[in-house]
Amino acid sequence: MIFQNAVDMSLALQQLSAEGYPIDREALATMSPYLTEQLKRFGDFVLDLETVPVPFEQAIQLPIKFDEI
């Protein structure tokens, strides 16, 4: 789950950046893909084995452009 969260967060950040929103290093440093709230760590999860995930190389593109303040 942590890896997928990191991919999802990266895609969202790329989309926000493409739309012209500034990406702040300090705000980004507070984000974590390790979510512990509202998560049933040992609960029931539905796995979708049919959907092919986005390739890692496309999801997390480096280097990331930061807006310097």
Side-chain angles (χ1 to χ4, degrees):
M1 290 183 76
I2 294 172
F3 180 72
Q4 185 60 51
N5 288 345
V7 170
D8 292 343
M9 290 168 63
S10 297
L11 291 172
L13 288 167
Q14 289 175 27
Q15 181 65 35
L16 289 170
S17 180
E19 292 176 10
Y21 290 95
I23 305 299
D24 179 55
R25 283 182 189 263
E26 290 181 18
L28 190 59
T30 65
M31 297 175 63
S32 171
Y34 181 65
L35 305 178
T36 58
E37 294 181 14
Q38 300 178 0
L39 177 68
K40 292 171 40 176
R41 293 180 70 182
F42 304 106
D44 298 324
F45 294 94
V46 178
L47 299 177
D48 179 4
L49 301 177
E50 300 296 321
T51 303
V52 178
V54 175
F56 176 72
E57 293 82 8
Q58 291 177 6
I60 301 178
Q61 298 178 4
L62 297 175
I64 298 172
K65 297 179 196 171
F66 292 100
D67 289 333
E68 298 298 329
I69 296 177

